Amino acid sequence: MNFSVNELEEKFRQENYISDQDILVPVYLALKLEKPLLITGAPGVGKTEIAKVLSRILDTELIRLQCYEGLDENKALYEWNYQKQLLHIQANKDSSSIETEIFSKEYLLERPLLKAISQPKKVVLLIDEIDKTDAEFEAFLFEVLSDFQVSVPEIGTILAKEIPVVILTSNGERDLSDGLKRRCIFLHIDFPSPEKETEIIKAKVPQLGTELTWQLARGVAYLRTQLALKKKPSISETLDWAQALLTLNAQRMTEHLVDQTISLLLKDKDDLDLFREKGGAKAMLKQTASAESSASGHTHGKV
Amino acid sequence: MENFLENNIIRFVQILRSLGIPAGTSEAMDALTAVQHIDLTDQKQFHAALKATLVKDAVHDPLFNSAFTKYFVESPFRDLQLDAKKEYVQGMEDAKKELEFQEQPLDLDQQYLDLYGQLPEESRQQFKEFLKKTSEGKNVSPKFKPIVENVIKGALEYHRTHSNLPQLIPVELTGEEEIDAVLHEISHDQEMVDLYFQNMASIQEEDYQEATHLIRKLARRLASRISRRYKQSSKIKRIDVRRSIRAGIKYGGTLLDLKYRQKKVQKPEILLLCDVSGSMIKYSQFTLQFMSGLAEVLPRMQAFAFAESLEKIDLMNFSMEGLAQSDRWGEGTNLNISLQQLLKNHHGLLKPQTVFIVLSDTKTMEPDAALRQLQFVKRKIKEVIWLNPLPGNQWSKYSTVKLFQQQAAMWECSSLAHLSNALRYQLG
């Protein structure tokens, strides 16, 4: 990897991932220092997307380990192919070297972690939603993430041929252990500013009109900052909203349009009730308009 | 220390530690390596590189940003910081001289001196006049000093709650002049006073909604952690097929050695006792609100408010306003009587799996008798945790703190950050 931070920014932009140096520098350092990158942030702010973009930029395979409660090393690292081993035992009962035979790589089922380590080429390993696993699994990850090696008792230690690019994501459902955090470069992705979200919408849904794009970004910013919502709308939900407005051939935001489509952004009944209680679409558009008029002309013109 | 980049980064790490950001040696080494790979002339890159390597929790971002902008400054600004620090130290000296009783300085914590230092001249004059009159009063002996100290503390507490005084961020000074000058400036940075780090007693009523929102968020996060940690496995006593087959390989595939899934530990039973005497009410309000957020995952949790006696709190229907209307609010503190009532009327709650949490500043009537009751309670339960809103670096000054530390694991708990960390460590 011989590119600079600015070149990385350009490559991200080419992949339609709009970001700034707060995001790019940690990514760059993770690549340079060959350390795992721990990305936190609310769901839908683009954490997983970074791994996907990196795999495309580096032109390499993306290996994904989706975490969930109860995930253990058998499902994450490796497992012996018991059925195949049993068949081999039944077929070769008299063989003296049967034990050596059944505990060879031929009978080893590689799970994502081992697969990432054994690849001859550098791959991107995405450990998604690490906060959903148990603390025990986190501790187990230490060995893999510190030394990039795996111990299989029957075979020995398998060292990484090429250290993978490791991306861990967390939605912050629970705090991760200090040990895991210490081993990682850290990146927290917050909700974007309306200006940056406008850029994102323009990159992802370019057919949407300039005025509507701006109104949409301001509207989402209003929901995030002015209402104490249980679940704030994410970037991906903003993009869904933009797509919906495009499908409805909308030219500009109206109260009727907001009422029709607000459920794409607010997916909790309490949040919808709160939105209506605080003035609903009317208040939203009023805020959007006042922000628009208070913003200087060049801001609008930038869109 | 010379002004090399390495030295500057190490000093910056020291500042972060003084602010409570847990940046260890490995983080410092990562930061030093990281800056070798970026364009040092680009301040944004430098900032992002240090943040990515030194801060591992987004809640510390505002503190980091404030420290960064105040530490990496041109030398004229550093001189201003040093001057401001000197002025502050002089101000504290003046405050100590003004707060004297019969020519003896009052024994006041730094937080009270800070509070006094922020008061307008008019209010300070009232304090001085009160102390002068009291010192010269008839039949007033030096024995009255503790009483005068309590009156002054009470009056300062009143100003803290009723005046819009700037909030100070708690920092631990290091003794190194330059670093302390930066820390002093950060501690007075009003733009980054954050509800999470703010002293709970100084959270104003207009911020209650935001604080409630933050508490809900923190409680939800801890609840999720507790729920996962203590979730009873539905596979208890069930055979673990994978491990059994694996163990059976050595017997030619016959399942001779059955393996079972392990039973997970049970949730703790929490018993919470909150001091609702005058100076403690806000800490108790916020703590009880936090605990009510955990009540769903810890249904056996019980809570009581105490002052001179005990009162049960319904956590499922808890409201801050309801607690403020409690008869206990504003009374003095008698932990001894409250524990006696607990033992007499609610002894069934004291079980070997019970975690007993006390929220109090340890200032109670009959402290020795209260300690004996606490010893008695402790024999019946798993452990005692004490959440203390007094600043940790001043605990050694209080005899009652030392007394109760003998029987309880004590945690500093003056901010939501303290509360969240203590409960996360003890319960999560």
Side-chain angles (χ1 to χ4, degrees):
Chain A
M1 197 204 77
N2 291 317
F3 38 78
S4 64
V5 179
N6 293 337
E7 285 164 342
L8 186 67
E9 182 174 10
E10 187 50 39
K11 285 174 189 292
F12 265 66
R13 197 169 280 276
Q14 283 165 8
E15 293 293 335
N16 278 343
Y17 193 100
I18 310 299
S19 53
D20 51 27
Q21 297 215 330
D22 283 344
I23 291 178
L24 289 162
V25 171
V27 174
Y28 176 79
L29 289 174
L31 296 173
K32 274 284 180 190
L33 305 185
E34 297 194 316
K35 286 198 137 213
L37 176 66
L38 171 61
I39 311 176
T40 65
V45 291
K47 302 184 294 292
T48 307
E49 189 63 19
I50 286 184
K52 292 179 183 170
V53 169
L54 272 178
S55 79
R56 292 199 292 271
I57 290 175
L58 300 172
D59 189 23
T60 188
E61 190 184 352
L62 173 71
I63 297 174
R64 181 174 184 158
L65 174 62
Q66 180 62 49
C67 297
Y68 52 88
E69 196 178 339
L71 176 68
D72 58 21
E73 51 182 282
N74 288 321
K75 291 165 195 155
L77 193 57
Y78 72 91
E79 195 165 17
W80 290 106
N81 189 336
Y82 304 118
Q83 291 90 337
K84 200 173 170 185
Q85 282 177 325
L86 285 170
L87 283 172
H88 185 89
I89 292 165
Q90 299 297 330
N92 303 280
K93 274 186 176 167
D94 302 328
S95 169
S96 58
S97 59
I98 194 159
E99 203 171 326
T100 324
E101 288 161 19
I102 60 168
F103 288 115
S104 61
K105 283 191 179 173
E106 195 187 333
Y107 293 87
L108 201 62
L109 293 173
E110 284 182 348
R111 300 299 188 211
L113 293 179
L114 183 58
K115 193 178 171 195
I117 279 180
S118 357
Q119 297 297 308
K121 192 184 170 193
K122 190 184 272 289
V123 295
V124 175
L125 170 63
L126 169 65
I127 303 175
D128 212 5
E129 303 191 13
I130 178 75
D131 53 328
K132 288 200 165 59
T133 62
D134 306 321
E136 293 81 2
F137 183 76
E138 248 185 80
F140 154 76
L141 274 179
F142 288 178
E143 183 192 1
V144 185
L145 299 183
S146 296
D147 307 326
F148 294 101
Q149 65 176 35
V150 165
S151 302
V152 182
E154 295 86 350
I155 294 178
T157 302
I158 301 171
L159 273 167
K161 292 187 176 83
E162 281 286 339
I163 292 178
V165 176
V166 183
I167 308 286
L168 298 112
T169 72
S170 165
N171 291 334
E173 271 194 25
R174 71 176 173 89
D175 288 325
L176 300 172
S177 70
D178 291 340
L180 181 75
K181 288 195 264 189
R182 204 175 60 235
R183 285 164 172 83
C184 300
I185 301 289
F186 182 74
L187 166 62
H188 177 77
I189 306 182
D190 225 330
F191 291 114
S193 63
E195 289 77 15
K196 193 173 154 197
E197 196 150 29
T198 305
E199 271 194 76
I200 296 170
I201 301 165
K202 279 183 83 72
K204 297 278 186 183
V205 193
Q207 307 92 327
L208 205 66
T210 302
E211 188 184 349
L212 190 54
T213 302
W214 173 247
Q215 283 185 321
L216 195 146
R218 292 294 327 174
V220 175
Y222 160 78
L223 294 176
R224 286 185 194 138
T225 55
Q226 304 295 313
L227 304 182
L229 298 172
K230 276 187 182 173
K231 158 81 178 70
K232 293 178 181 177
S234 65
I235 300 172
S236 58
E237 283 158 335
T238 307
L239 295 173
D240 287 347
W241 198 31
Q243 282 290 357
L245 297 178
L246 188 68
T247 311
L248 294 170
N249 281 323
Q251 297 302 314
R252 67 187 322 276
M253 200 77 80
T254 61
E255 280 182 43
H256 180 62
L257 200 58
V258 173
D259 286 334
Q260 271 186 325
T261 54
I262 192 68
S263 56
L264 285 163
L265 295 174
L266 304 178
K267 294 170 180 173
D268 186 287
K269 189 184 173 300
D270 290 344
D271 286 348
L272 276 169
D273 290 344
L274 180 72
F275 172 69
R276 287 180 189 125
E277 193 185 303
K278 298 282 178 187
K282 196 173 181 180
M284 183 188 193
L285 292 179
K286 196 178 166 192
Q287 282 279 333
T288 309
S290 63
E292 205 171 338
S293 58
S294 65
S296 58
H298 72 271
T299 311
H300 195 121
K302 227 170 75 177
V303 179
Chain B
M1 235 190 227
E2 293 198 50
N3 202 26
F4 296 131
L5 178 65
E6 292 86 347
N7 293 341
N8 278 329
I9 290 176
I10 298 297
R11 276 196 290 223
F12 182 61
V13 171
Q14 274 182 286
I15 288 177
L16 297 183
R17 286 177 192 153
S18 297
L19 293 169
I21 299 176
T25 311
S26 72
E27 276 89 356
M29 287 168 70
D30 282 348
L32 289 169
T33 318
V35 294
Q36 292 169 21
H37 292 282
I38 52 146
D39 177 4
L40 283 173
T41 59
D42 185 331
Q43 201 193 19
K44 276 189 178 175
Q45 277 193 30
F46 184 60
H47 173 268
L50 291 187
K51 189 152 112 176
T53 47
L54 296 173
V55 181
K56 302 293 169 78
D57 195 330
V59 296
H60 292 133
D61 280 1
L63 269 180
F64 174 88
N65 293 337
S66 175
F68 184 89
T69 46
K70 289 175 179 59
Y71 180 69
F72 293 101
V73 291
E74 304 287 338
S75 53
F77 292 105
R78 181 57 41 84
D79 293 340
L80 287 176
Q81 285 173 343
L82 287 165
D83 290 345
K85 171 77 185 355
K86 276 179 198 157
E87 202 178 305
Y88 168 76
V89 171
Q90 186 56 51
M92 285 300 102
E93 289 302 318
D94 293 345
K96 278 180 197 167
K97 277 181 198 159
E98 286 173 22
L99 294 172
E100 281 184 351
F101 172 73
Q102 295 186 338
E103 297 180 355
Q104 289 295 313
L106 297 181
D107 186 15
L108 295 173
D109 301 340
Q110 188 63 39
Q111 55 160 334
Y112 289 118
L113 292 174
D114 279 336
L115 258 176
Y116 181 76
Q118 293 171 51
L119 291 179
E121 188 50 44
E122 193 185 329
S123 307
R124 285 169 72 138
Q125 196 56 42
Q126 286 172 355
F127 275 87
K128 281 190 272 186
E129 279 169 19
F130 167 77
L131 285 168
K132 189 169 180 280
K133 278 183 190 166
T134 316
S135 298
E136 293 166 357
K138 279 183 186 171
N139 302 323
V140 176
S141 75
K143 282 182 190 170
F144 285 24
K145 192 170 162 247
I147 299 169
V148 174
E149 281 166 356
N150 279 338
V151 172
I152 294 291
K153 282 178 194 170
L156 287 169
E157 284 292 349
Y158 176 85
H159 278 283
R160 191 212 293 275
T161 349
H162 293 87
S163 313
N164 267 337
L165 295 175
Q167 305 303 323
L168 300 185
I169 297 153
V171 295
E172 269 182 42
L173 298 181
T174 61
E176 198 180 317
E177 201 178 14
E178 259 190 31
I179 292 180
D180 286 352
V182 177
L183 286 171
H184 168 257
E185 198 187 355
I186 296 167
S187 77
H188 287 71
D189 183 353
Q190 290 308 298
E191 275 186 21
M192 60 137 309
V193 169
D194 192 305
L195 284 176
Y196 186 61
F197 296 104
Q198 193 173 329
N199 191 310
M200 285 186 257
S202 65
I203 295 177
Q204 302 294 318
E205 216 165 317
E206 60 262 28
D207 293 327
Y208 275 15
Q209 199 184 352
E210 202 185 328
T212 305
H213 190 59
L214 176 64
I215 289 171
R216 273 197 211 129
K217 196 170 144 192
L218 293 169
R220 229 184 1 249
R221 195 197 273 197
L222 182 59
S224 149
R225 190 180 168 110
I226 292 173
S227 163
R228 182 171 292 119
R229 169 82 176 84
Y230 294 104
K231 192 169 186 178
Q232 186 145 1
S233 169
S234 59
K235 290 166 185 159
I236 291 167
K237 291 285 175 194
R238 297 250 178 102
I239 292 172
D240 185 332
V241 179
R242 188 181 290 112
R243 286 174 59 225
S244 299
I245 292 176
R246 187 171 180 173
I249 296 287
K250 61 185 166 193
Y251 305 112
T254 311
L255 302 181
L256 288 176
D257 183 9
L258 291 178
K259 302 284 180 193
Y260 294 90
R261 290 194 182 269
Q262 285 176 341
K263 186 182 174 181
K264 290 198 173 176
V265 279
Q266 299 290 310
K267 291 176 189 177
E269 291 191 15
I270 309 284
L271 178 57
L272 175 68
L273 215 62
C274 284
D275 186 344
V276 288
S277 58
S279 60
M280 285 295 301
I281 185 72
K282 277 203 177 179
Y283 298 106
S284 294
Q285 280 179 318
F286 289 119
T287 303
L288 283 164
Q289 195 174 45
F290 195 110
M291 294 312 247
S292 77
L294 297 182
E296 209 170 290
V297 288
L298 294 170
R300 289 180 191 166
M301 178 163 52
Q302 301 286 342
F304 293 87
F306 82 95
E308 287 173 6
S309 57
L310 206 61
E311 181 179 322
K312 198 162 188 300
I313 302 284
D314 179 4
L315 280 174
M316 298 304 273
N317 298 306
F318 173 77
S319 76
M320 304 252 282
E321 299 75 25
L323 185 68
Q325 285 158 13
S326 159
D327 294 337
R328 305 285 86 75
W329 183 20
E331 288 180 348
T333 308
N334 195 323
L335 182 60
N336 176 36
I337 291 178
S338 304
L339 288 176
Q340 279 178 13
Q341 288 178 352
L342 182 75
L343 283 159
K344 189 180 167 198
N345 304 327
H346 306 280
H347 63 275
L349 299 175
L350 303 171
K351 299 181 210 164
Q353 64 270 32
T354 302
V355 175
F356 185 49
I357 302 178
V358 183
L359 172 72
S360 169
D361 56 8
T362 73
K363 293 171 189 170
T364 173
M365 289 180 259
E366 306 180 284
D368 293 316
L371 181 71
R372 284 195 293 279
Q373 295 296 338
L374 190 64
Q375 275 171 329
F376 193 65
V377 168
K378 197 183 173 187
R379 275 186 230 130
K380 293 172 174 283
I381 58 166
K382 189 178 170 190
E383 63 180 318
V384 182
I385 297 162
W386 196 297
L387 305 177
N388 187 345
L390 294 174
N393 56 5
Q394 291 162 19
W395 285 359
S396 56
K397 288 185 188 172
Y398 296 94
S399 57
T400 49
V401 172
K402 286 184 212 157
L403 200 67
F404 291 115
Q405 267 181 319
Q406 295 167 21
Q407 294 299 324
M410 203 171 276
W411 288 77
E412 185 180 346
C413 187
S414 59
S415 65
L416 292 174
H418 286 142
L419 178 65
S420 171
N421 283 342
L423 294 178
R424 193 185 74 186
Y425 186 84
Q426 292 290 348
L427 307 178

